[in-house]
Amino acid sequence: MGLMTKGGRFLIKGLAGKRVLEGTLNVRGAKNAAPKAAAAALLFSDTLHITNTPDIEDFHRLLELLLKIGVRVKKTGSDSFSLLAKGKIKTSLPRALAKRMRMSVILTGPLLARFGRVSLPHPGGCLIGARPIDLFLDGFKKMGAVVKMKEEGYELSAPREGLHGAEIFFPTISVTGTETLMMAAVLARGTTILRNAALEPEIPALAKFLNTCGADIRGAGTSTITIKGGKLLVSKGKPYVTPPDRIEAGSFLILAALLARDVTIASCEPSHLESLITLLTRAGVHIDVGKHSVRVRGDHKLPYHSFGLKTHEYPGFPTDLQAPMAVFLTQALGEALVFETIFESRLRYVDELVRMGADIMLLDPHRLLVRGPRPLRGKELESPDLRAGLAYIIAALVAEGNSIIHNVYIIDRGYERIEERLKGVGADIRRA
Ligand code: EPU
């Protein structure tokens, strides 16, 4: 599929807190958007084109999954693909691949709705909590499916006449749950109403595109989404353009707040970063917000002020920026309570930061207390998950001395050639 599995380790020379980075960081297409659009190929009778795709492991693994089940996947340019779901499509997700990636569960909705059955292993993914799939299963049952749990996974089947529309309330807000049920509803007969749906910008982006191809989805981007379904979609060559990755943009913004003399984060959507920009500005970071860019200038007298933080579904503060933000707080003046409300094991990265010199106290599995500012020292690190991996890169760059980050594969899952891009603004980081 054109991507070499990179991996290896990063060697990073710390800047000892000096704000010297300069230049432009371009944000790539969203990790959590492009694969969902690829899954949507199963809703189309013709070829679906996707552009601005990120060259990251998670997207390529999802394409590999689609290829394995029989979807014709072609690379059509440096960052574009075409997908055609025609002919024989397998409805059982290949075990090894699906287990490696939690995101594969996104395929269940489209497969079940189009082909009347799907089987999947118990889902895998990053080590950030139990990540159950009860919301998916409950939704599919409401749409008429029968769910059988076997030792090796789940088998779902639709009634002979296909799934039907249903009213579905999400007791917990779920991004992928909203997306996969929304896609299932596009092919289900009648009207589906999703309540307490997730609001993440990836969802209206997908809905808007599907609507241009014949879907009837209203309210995406609000907590009630109404879908009138029943027929296959036709793209007639219109491409889905992957929106910029708001988590990558946010991570760059945090990095720039700590290390930039003058850095512009370009090709991003600042309106998706409101919670982050508000907090950083309050802390004293100088941010100029443009239409599709944000610029950070390192002219505020250090240290910045600390602030408390609670993760929340969009548009609240994203859980995916919690670890990078904790690194920021180690450099800010005061005491900050960080409260992770979305996942139950997303604070595993803390021990390594403490070894680097951070003053962080783990209060319970969801909350930590960060006191700053504290100088960090370079260390050998190994990240427990993708987002913590980026937090370690930021910490290693802030620190004094050299760091080694092992198991970089986990960072490659979501950030395209991160070392080359950071080198472009003057960071001393290389892959070995
Ligand atoms: N949940 C359930 N039951 C379900 C599904 C989810 O209880 O059936 C719970 C989860 O355990 C969690 C909460 O609902 O406590 C929210 O999970 P959600 O389903 O929203 O997460 P997700 O869709 O699996 C996506 C992103 C994550 C991001 C979260 C939260 C994708 C592929 N992944 O996950 O991204 O952290 O939303 O915003 O879209 C990442 O990019 O590093 C990443 C983990």
Side-chain angles (χ1 to χ4, degrees):
M1 204 62 61
L3 180 100
M4 44 286 154
T5 299
K6 296 177 124 197
R9 47 192 197 149
F10 284 148
L11 308 182
I12 297 175
K13 189 163 169 222
L15 294 164
K18 287 195 279 299
R19 288 179 289 175
V20 293
L21 301 185
E22 247 180 318
T24 300
L25 286 165
N26 282 302
V27 175
R28 299 292 300 118
K31 160 189 174 279
N32 289 341
K36 319 294 178 60
L42 293 162
L43 308 175
F44 285 78
S45 61
D46 64 348
T47 301
L48 170 64
H49 299 273
I50 307 181
T51 63
N52 195 34
T53 56
D55 192 3
I56 56 172
E57 287 295 311
D58 269 22
F59 181 57
H60 290 283
R61 296 296 79 84
L62 196 90
L63 292 182
E64 203 179 319
L65 250 177
L66 287 166
L67 202 64
K68 283 232 159 84
I69 62 171
V71 175
R72 285 176 237 171
V73 181
K74 268 199 218 136
K75 191 163 167 48
T76 50
S78 61
D79 61 357
S80 55
F81 287 85
S82 72
L83 297 101
L84 176 64
K86 214 173 182 173
K88 179 110 189 70
I89 302 288
K90 291 190 198 118
T91 56
S92 131
L93 298 186
R95 194 177 169 75
L97 260 176
K99 273 198 90 67
R100 258 169 75 188
M101 197 173 49
R102 156 88 184 174
M103 199 185 312
S104 54
V105 71
I106 192 73
L107 299 178
T108 54
L111 279 173
L112 181 64
R114 179 150 177 194
F115 302 105
R117 54 196 323 117
V118 64
S119 57
L120 68 153
H122 299 285
C126 279
L127 291 174
I128 55 173
R131 308 187 86 181
I133 59 167
D134 54 313
L135 300 171
F136 299 71
L137 301 181
D138 287 354
F140 294 141
K141 281 187 209 159
K142 285 235 160 87
M143 298 173 95
V146 174
V147 177
K148 286 193 192 137
M149 193 166 118
K150 304 248 162 111
E151 205 174 309
E152 61 281 8
Y154 298 91
E155 272 179 30
L156 282 69
S157 49
R160 195 197 302 237
E161 61 292 358
L163 294 180
H164 55 72
E167 288 206 24
I168 298 166
F169 180 86
F170 289 96
T172 304
I173 299 178
S174 165
V175 178
T176 313
T178 300
E179 291 164 328
T180 203
L181 289 178
M182 182 174 91
M183 288 198 268
V186 164
L187 297 188
R189 286 168 303 110
T191 302
T192 297
I193 303 177
L194 304 178
R195 290 192 215 282
N196 202 25
L199 313 183
E200 271 66 4
E202 296 78 43
I203 298 166
L206 181 61
K208 197 169 158 202
F209 174 74
L210 297 180
N211 282 345
T212 66
C213 303
D216 182 349
I217 306 172
R218 293 177 202 195
T222 77
S223 60
T224 303
I225 307 180
T226 306
I227 306 114
K228 286 193 185 136
K231 56 179 195 312
L232 282 174
L233 305 181
V234 192
S235 83
K236 296 194 187 133
K238 276 187 301 285
Y240 169 87
V241 183
T242 312
D245 196 308
R246 65 199 160 84
I247 302 301
E248 180 172 285
S251 308
F252 287 164
L253 189 50
I254 293 169
L255 180 131
L258 291 170
L259 295 163
R261 201 178 79 75
D262 189 349
V263 166
T264 297
I265 295 139
S267 316
C268 67
E269 186 48 69
S271 66
H272 295 167
L273 294 168
E274 258 190 288
S275 61
L276 175 65
I277 292 174
T278 305
L279 285 176
L280 289 178
T281 305
R282 209 200 283 166
V285 182
H286 283 172
I287 304 174
D288 299 319
V289 178
K291 197 156 182 243
H292 296 297
S293 66
V294 281
R295 179 177 176 193
V296 178
R297 274 175 291 175
D299 48 10
H300 182 275
K301 201 169 155 298
L302 294 180
Y304 296 123
H305 315 292
S306 201
F307 49 82
L309 178 71
K310 185 171 164 183
T311 64
H312 196 280
E313 292 85 3
Y314 188 84
F317 191 86
T319 168
D320 292 342
L321 290 178
Q322 180 256 114
M325 201 57 146
V327 175
F328 178 89
L329 291 168
T330 66
Q331 304 305 301
L333 178 68
E335 204 174 76
L337 181 73
V338 174
F339 187 3
E340 169 58 56
T341 68
I342 310 288
F343 293 114
E344 68 272 22
S345 353
R346 224 179 189 185
L347 303 177
R348 293 172 198 236
Y349 64 89
V350 166
D351 291 353
E352 301 277 67
L353 292 184
V354 170
R355 278 203 306 119
M356 294 178 83
D359 181 350
I360 306 181
M361 204 161 55
L362 201 55
L363 303 178
D364 60 46
H366 284 274
R367 292 179 310 151
L368 45 89
L369 197 64
V370 189
R371 291 200 192 93
R374 295 286 185 277
L376 302 180
R377 293 176 302 275
K379 289 278 179 233
E380 279 200 40
L381 308 162
E382 179 154 348
S383 174
D385 71 74
L386 162 67
R387 306 302 178 185
L390 202 93
Y392 285 176
I393 294 182
I394 299 175
L397 285 169
V398 167
E400 188 171 338
N402 297 327
S403 292
I404 301 175
I405 300 183
H406 293 281
N407 190 20
V408 160
Y409 173 80
I410 209 157
I411 300 175
D412 292 331
R413 287 185 68 157
Y415 299 95
E416 177 179 323
R417 285 180 273 273
I418 187 75
E419 77 284 16
E420 288 173 26
R421 294 189 291 153
L422 294 181
K423 244 188 254 170
V425 291
D428 190 340
I429 170 170
R430 70 194 164 84
R431 193 185 288 261

